[in-house]
Amino acid sequence: MRVVMGRAKKVVLAYSGGVDTSVCIPYLKQQWGVEEVIAFAADLGQGDELEPIRQKALTAGAKESIVENLIDPFVEEFAFPAIRANALYQGRYPLSTALARPLIARRMVEVANQKNADAVAHGCTGKGNDQVRFDVVFASLAPGLKVLTPAREWAMSREETISYGERYGIPAPVSKKSPYSIDLNLLGRSVEAGVLEDPNMPPPEEVFAITSSIDQAPDEGQEIEIAFQAGNPISINGDLLDPADLVRQANFLAGKHGFGRIDMIEDRVVGIKSREIYETPGLLLLIKAHQELESLTLAADVLRVKRQLEMKWAELVYQGLWFGPLKEALDGFFDRTQEDVNGVVRIYLKKGNAMITGRNSTQNSLYSSEMATYGKDDHFNHLAAEGFIYIWGLPTRLWASIKRK
Ligand code: ARG
């Protein structure tokens, strides 16, 4: 039995219903002498049936099993800020899994305090990012709570984990054959492992579930319009939708037309390169539309600085620093910029493409037809360009003249 930092009596465990987190329950009790395990599962719109998951934790030996619907805070406090930040880790991954972790961890800390638990626990392994995200949030929001991480230490293979579970009444996964590790929520699906571990192997069609393949997407394209207010998406095709429904609708439309699949090699926090398949149709579509509206409504210098800071924001959210000082400071900057991001973007969806075909903003457009036109205009002083270019080119002329000597 492992005795580190004193034994924990009552533990709140991050619970998903999967084998690993189920096995954590008997393991914490038998191996680590924990008296009470409270399983905590979050409904983040993954579409699983939740009552069986709640029961499963009890069968595995949990004293209490809590399932909470966190969809609204997930979308409003985590997904929408990510859209305003155009957050794409390494330029591509819109953080669908990463955004869920600080919310789950924050809520677990609240539950632990309410229930007078002395520890929290998760079933993440030592190779992934999720352990980093959980641990950093636990340590920063509740430094007094112990953090128990059985899967980091039990050194069991998948088969061993399954047979350990069977001894404690945890059924082997129905899809024992499914070799994939999948994380799912309203923002998307992350798929790893199995044949995907060969980075050169094309992903089999069976790994996808919420997007059409390009081949199967309808031949008929579809034009849609997304409206934004202060950087938040508020309507699709004129229908005002609450945040969660808006994401559902964006998922449906983009997914139907085969937009939102990502196949990438990404750099994990722990230094490992891994091959990831994502399906994030709605989130990617909303970010694309949002970027477009910003190009119309934000001043050039603001836009340039924001694009750089967006990369930083995505990186630190990926790396588990959601509740850190830089994130908070960047949010201050982003929030101010978003006051001007009001308007509508038109997109044509067809066979894996989401083509922007128009954008407009009655309040905040900085586009001036008079300035932009190649037709007759009376407002732009063409002659003034000469003086501007004389000064602008001065350092280059100087440098070039010295070089020629
Ligand atoms: N690589 C992605 C991320 O770090 C997805 C992780 C998926 N997690 C999982 N438990 N399968 O955000």
Side-chain angles (χ1 to χ4, degrees):
M1 187 176 296
R2 177 178 181 269
V3 187
V4 174
M5 307 173 290
R7 194 179 291 184
K9 284 202 180 69
K10 201 194 258 193
V11 176
V12 177
L13 167 71
Y15 188 69
S16 69
V19 183
D20 287 318
T21 56
S22 297
V23 165
C24 284
I25 297 171
Y27 194 93
L28 285 168
K29 290 164 64 183
Q30 303 303 322
Q31 257 61 37
W32 288 2
V34 168
E35 287 167 24
E36 273 181 39
V37 176
I38 300 171
F40 177 84
D43 179 0
L44 298 174
Q46 58 269 52
D48 289 335
E49 274 194 73
L50 297 164
E51 185 49 27
I53 290 179
R54 207 184 68 78
Q55 284 300 331
K56 198 172 172 187
L58 296 173
T59 310
K63 173 97 184 222
E64 201 179 329
S65 183
I66 303 171
V67 176
E68 259 183 44
N69 181 333
L70 299 180
I71 296 176
D72 288 340
F74 185 41
V75 177
E76 288 161 27
E77 293 176 50
F78 293 83
F80 277 22
I83 292 167
R84 295 197 295 267
N86 300 315
L88 297 170
Y89 179 64
Q90 298 192 315
R92 301 166 77 188
Y93 163 46
L95 303 171
S96 45
T97 292
L99 289 165
R101 300 303 181 251
L103 171 60
I104 297 170
R106 180 180 78 186
R107 189 62 198 131
M108 283 173 69
V109 166
E110 288 163 5
V111 172
N113 289 337
Q114 277 161 17
K115 304 274 178 188
N116 280 317
D118 53 344
V120 283
H122 62 70
C124 307
T125 72
K127 281 190 168 182
N129 296 317
D130 288 330
Q131 54 162 353
V132 179
R133 299 168 184 150
F134 277 121
D135 289 6
V136 172
V137 176
F138 292 148
S140 47
L141 298 189
L145 282 176
K146 293 175 194 130
V147 181
L148 305 184
T149 60
R152 213 145 55 187
E153 298 162 50
W154 63 34
M156 290 190 281
S157 69
R158 177 124 180 118
E159 287 71 37
E160 287 164 345
T161 312
I162 291 171
S163 50
Y164 184 97
E166 281 174 329
R167 272 189 273 149
Y168 291 96
I170 297 161
V174 198
S175 54
K176 209 170 181 172
K177 307 170 285 348
S178 168
Y180 305 111
S181 162
I182 298 168
D183 181 67
L184 174 65
N185 62 48
L186 183 63
L187 303 184
R189 279 175 87 244
S190 309
V191 191
E192 296 162 283
V195 292
L196 301 173
E197 285 179 4
D198 174 357
N200 199 31
M201 174 78 167
E205 189 54 32
E206 64 177 14
V207 307
F208 300 102
I210 57 172
T211 53
S212 306
S213 68
I214 290 180
D215 290 331
Q216 276 170 0
D219 291 332
E220 191 87 351
Q222 180 175 3
E223 194 159 72
I224 64 165
E225 284 191 342
I226 303 176
F228 291 84
Q229 197 171 66
N232 294 313
I234 54 163
S235 77
I236 297 183
N237 293 334
D239 293 332
L240 285 170
L241 297 167
D242 71 59
D245 282 336
L246 190 133
V247 172
R248 285 188 191 99
Q249 182 65 3
N251 276 337
F252 170 75
L253 291 167
K256 174 176 157 194
H257 289 283
F259 178 78
R261 291 185 177 187
I262 302 161
D263 177 347
M264 69 186 279
I265 304 295
E266 89 188 19
D267 287 285
R268 289 192 189 159
V269 185
V270 295
I272 298 171
K273 281 195 186 291
S274 70
R275 199 278 185 87
E276 307 275 339
I277 301 293
Y278 297 109
E279 290 181 281
T280 54
L283 192 53
L284 267 191
L285 181 73
L286 293 168
I287 289 174
K288 187 166 186 175
H290 178 264
Q291 284 170 332
E292 188 61 30
L293 187 58
E294 283 189 331
S295 70
L296 184 71
T297 57
L298 296 186
D301 54 356
V302 173
L303 203 51
R304 268 194 287 268
V305 171
K306 184 166 183 283
R307 291 293 178 260
Q308 287 170 13
L309 297 179
E310 286 168 357
M311 278 194 279
K312 194 64 221 170
W313 194 97
E315 212 167 83
L316 66 87
V317 170
Y318 183 88
Q319 295 169 340
L321 306 179
W322 180 274
F323 292 109
L326 180 54
K327 156 79 170 44
E328 205 171 294
L330 291 178
D331 280 341
F333 173 78
F334 289 168
D335 285 348
R336 172 60 188 87
T337 65
Q338 296 307 291
E339 290 172 18
D340 299 335
V341 184
N342 304 291
V344 182
V345 176
R346 193 174 340 99
I347 304 170
Y348 185 63
L349 295 167
K350 181 169 174 170
K351 287 214 170 276
N353 292 297
M355 300 276 298
I356 306 282
T357 59
R359 68 293 278 157
N360 80 80
S361 169
T362 40
Q363 294 170 52
N364 303 94
S365 177
L366 296 172
Y367 183 90
S368 158
S369 303
E370 280 171 352
M371 287 298 160
T373 184
Y374 285 107
K376 184 173 159 41
D377 70 88
D378 303 320
H379 297 273
F380 189 84
N381 181 351
H382 288 254
L383 279 176
E386 194 179 325
F388 163 72
I389 296 164
Y390 174 79
I391 306 285
W392 172 249
L394 195 146
T396 304
R397 290 201 311 276
L398 192 60
W399 179 81
S401 73
I402 286 164
K403 232 188 137 201
R404 270 197 307 271
K405 276 190 194 145

